[in-house]
Amino acid sequence: MKKISSEQIIDALQKAVIRANVSLDANIIAMLRNAIKKEENELALKILNILLENAEISLSRNTPLCQDTGVAVLFVTIGSNVSIKGMPLEKAINEGIKEGYEKGFLRKSIVSSPIKRINTNTNTPTIIHYNYTEGEEFIIDLLIKGGGCENKSALKMLKPSDGINGINDFVIDTVKCAGAAACPPFFIGIGLGGNFEKCALLAKKALLRDVGAFNSKEYLKSMEVELLSKINKLSIGPMGVSGKTTAFSVAIEEAPCHIASLPVAVNIDCHSHRHRRIVF
Amino acid sequence: MKTIKLDLPLAEKQIIQIRSGDFVELSGFVYTMRDAAHKRISEMIEKGETLPFELKDSSIYYVGPTPSPDNAFPFGAAGPTTSDRMDTYAPIMLSNGVKIMIGKGKRSSNIVKLIEKHNALYLATIGGAGSFLAKKIISSKNIAFKDLGTEAIQLIEIKDFPCIVINDSHGNDFYRGLSAIAP
């Protein structure tokens, strides 16, 4: 039996939320550099160079990449031989998030009710999804998700006869509608199948994939490659000023579904893609 | 690429000369306002209450900044939020004299027309460049709605703050000139 204390969880999470908000992943910096090499539009180039400089300033001044320090979305994978000591897991997670947002001078962006709209001033309650496995595995995937790109995400229940063309059209339309406001170049998570709510969760989960990696299933990989190429041909470009790079990656996750259904969800993430994996 | 340096507030004649697609660097005083502050100000106008600041000839930046970790600058990160959410309130803001709105993303066709009608400007700055833009804000003072936290209204002084002119006073729309973005 693997024993983990709630203090360990709190400490790891508060450090991870600060790190995720302040330090741009080295792979994304490489993607920005690559986009700069390819870009011909002067204004798009200027924006990409500012984004690189922004990442440097964030590290040196210890300030967030973006003022929207987001909602912390957590995917917790917990094995049957893991025992949490101290606080209940959910309480410990919220405590870690709260501490991180306070210590890291991060913005608190959660309101207690969508109608009353009073800020909780802690950036909690946070959003947690659990996945139960065997053994001693205990992993927390942390995604810092901004509101601007989340607002431009969409879900549609297609007909099975709509097929791959229908899926591609819906993804392209969603990206066009997201345009400049959702902060391109994007990272795009796509969920296919499941049902209404499962499909949305798959799209979010797709954003946890290592940046630039493709699905191991060949037919999904070829869809990812085709969609990424189609999206970049839209020439929306960095911050919508037109340019070569509109998306850095497209990741698809699928699940079995009803004979009548073809659910598709598109979760857009901005260029400030902030993901950390904590392995205990 | 030419950069046009501008000091706020702009004279009517200056606004007329600025064209969509221009790259500008602004210096001067701007009020921060996003969703919640817009809602309150609109309600105050409708009730005929005295406003916490003069809207006439003012400039508004759609931002909810993060706190500063040091004494170097007033904020940690201070990039723009999505402007289309403010389209609900922009008509009342423009008719009460707001001249410059700064945010990110496109505006509705109705707002584009109103920007032309009121001889105003809509500018986009760089979304996600929070730390970079925070260094272009050299002072900050709370004006109203402290209870709203990050959504409170602050009077900020910006210096060489980079923006792209999206909608000018002639009805031009930078994004509509580019085919990719949905109407």
Side-chain angles (χ1 to χ4, degrees):
Chain A
M1 185 68 83
K2 184 180 204 166
K3 288 179 185 159
I4 294 162
S5 71
S6 49
E7 285 76 25
Q8 272 176 280
I9 296 168
I10 294 169
D11 188 55
L13 266 180
Q14 63 100 351
K15 285 181 179 138
V17 289
I18 296 172
R19 195 76 191 147
N21 269 295
V22 168
S23 172
L24 192 63
D25 186 293
N27 291 320
I28 301 174
I29 291 181
M31 285 170 148
L32 278 172
R33 291 219 165 95
N34 192 33
I36 287 169
K37 268 187 217 149
K38 282 193 290 191
E39 192 52 70
E40 288 166 4
N41 176 3
E42 214 181 346
L43 188 51
L45 258 179
K46 187 164 180 108
I47 289 168
L48 290 168
N49 278 305
I50 286 177
L51 293 180
L52 264 188
E53 193 181 341
N54 185 62
E56 284 163 20
I57 296 169
S58 295
L59 265 189
S60 65
R61 201 180 153 220
N62 208 20
T63 50
L65 294 155
C66 179
Q67 75 294 332
D68 186 353
T69 54
V71 176
V73 182
L74 293 95
F75 286 77
V76 179
T77 305
I78 182 161
S80 51
N81 285 335
V82 174
S83 160
I84 313 281
K85 302 288 173 200
M87 278 180 213
L89 178 57
E90 191 144 330
K91 197 174 172 197
I93 288 174
N94 276 296
E95 204 52 44
I97 298 296
K98 189 176 145 185
E99 258 188 39
Y101 275 77
E102 195 56 42
K103 276 190 190 163
F105 297 91
L106 306 179
R107 195 178 84 183
K108 285 94 172 188
S109 310
I110 310 282
V111 290
S112 59
S113 147
I115 304 301
K116 297 285 180 192
R117 307 203 75 85
I118 310 289
N119 199 309
T120 62
N121 284 322
T122 57
N123 220 53
T124 62
T126 196
I127 294 174
I128 313 168
H129 306 291
Y130 298 97
N131 174 35
Y132 299 96
T133 62
E134 290 174 33
E136 298 196 332
E137 205 172 43
F138 185 54
I139 298 169
I140 298 179
D141 275 292
L142 167 74
L143 191 63
I144 304 294
K145 196 67 180 67
C149 50
E150 193 77 354
N151 281 349
K152 304 293 180 189
S153 301
L155 186 147
K156 194 171 181 185
M157 303 301 283
L158 297 182
K159 293 188 291 246
S161 63
D162 292 331
I164 290 181
N165 286 341
I167 293 167
N168 286 350
D169 289 350
F170 178 60
V171 174
I172 296 291
D173 282 351
T174 305
V175 171
K176 279 187 185 174
C177 288
C183 292
F186 300 130
F187 291 82
I188 299 171
I190 297 173
L192 298 179
N195 62 354
F196 185 76
E197 84 278 6
K198 172 99 180 176
C199 189
L201 195 55
L202 287 170
K204 181 72 86 246
K205 211 171 174 181
L207 291 173
L208 303 178
R209 189 159 334 139
D210 290 342
V211 291
F214 292 103
N215 197 301
S216 56
K217 288 177 185 163
E218 207 48 50
Y219 63 98
L220 292 179
K221 179 184 170 178
S222 71
M223 284 178 74
E224 289 170 349
V225 170
E226 190 189 344
L227 268 170
L228 183 59
S229 156
K230 282 191 159 140
I231 289 165
N232 282 325
K233 280 196 185 115
L234 292 174
S235 303
I236 292 171
M239 291 317 293
V241 301
S242 95
K244 302 260 183 214
T245 314
T246 299
F248 283 132
S249 84
V250 173
I252 301 176
E253 292 295 330
E254 67 165 6
C257 65
H258 192 281
I259 49 174
S261 301
L262 175 50
V264 184
V266 184
N267 198 187
I268 305 228
D269 204 7
C270 58
H271 55 70
S272 231
H273 176 61
R274 293 156 288 180
H275 170 223
R276 285 292 184 281
R277 179 165 297 159
I278 313 166
V279 182
F280 290 85
Chain B
M1 194 174 52
K2 208 177 123 196
T3 300
I4 304 166
K5 297 227 177 214
L6 296 170
D7 289 315
L8 300 173
L10 300 180
E12 296 266 325
K13 276 192 288 185
Q14 275 178 298
I15 291 179
I16 290 167
Q17 283 165 2
I18 295 164
R19 286 289 192 278
S20 83
D22 284 350
F23 189 83
V24 299
E25 282 184 359
L26 302 178
S27 297
F29 288 93
V30 173
Y31 293 94
T32 72
M33 272 179 87
R34 44 173 294 154
D35 309 59
H38 272 88
K39 185 168 189 282
R40 284 199 190 170
I41 290 288
S42 300
E43 285 166 359
M44 288 173 85
I45 293 171
E46 275 161 20
K47 286 182 198 156
E49 292 173 14
T50 309
L51 301 183
F53 70 98
E54 177 71 60
L55 289 183
K56 195 177 176 317
D57 294 327
S58 66
S59 304
I60 307 287
Y61 179 25
Y62 303 148
V63 59
T66 68
S68 178
D70 52 38
N71 293 321
F73 297 93
F75 304 118
T81 195
T82 306
S83 304
D84 65 22
R85 293 197 316 275
M86 265 47 83
D87 283 359
T88 314
Y89 309 106
I92 200 166
M93 301 298 287
L94 286 166
S95 63
N96 280 274
V98 169
K99 283 290 170 195
I100 295 172
M101 298 170 287
I102 307 166
K104 66 167 160 127
K106 68 184 172 69
R107 309 306 297 256
S108 69
S109 51
N110 176 43
I111 302 304
V112 176
K113 281 182 206 141
L114 289 176
I115 288 168
E116 181 182 8
K117 184 185 164 193
H118 293 287
N119 194 39
L121 292 170
Y122 167 58
L123 318 173
T125 184
I126 297 121
S131 288
F132 176 86
L133 292 170
K135 290 181 79 174
K136 309 285 178 190
I137 301 172
I138 54 176
S139 75
S140 162
K141 182 184 157 200
N142 180 263
I143 296 296
F145 313 147
K146 241 181 175 164
D147 62 299
L148 292 179
T150 185
E151 295 203 71
I153 299 179
Q154 320 270 354
L155 176 62
I156 59 171
E157 187 177 0
I158 57 177
K159 178 111 177 55
D160 300 327
F161 193 90
C163 293
I164 304 150
V165 179
I166 305 298
N167 300 112
D168 62 24
S169 63
H170 307 278
N172 296 313
D173 188 339
F174 178 66
Y175 294 133
R176 257 168 209 105
L178 314 167
S179 58
I181 293 179

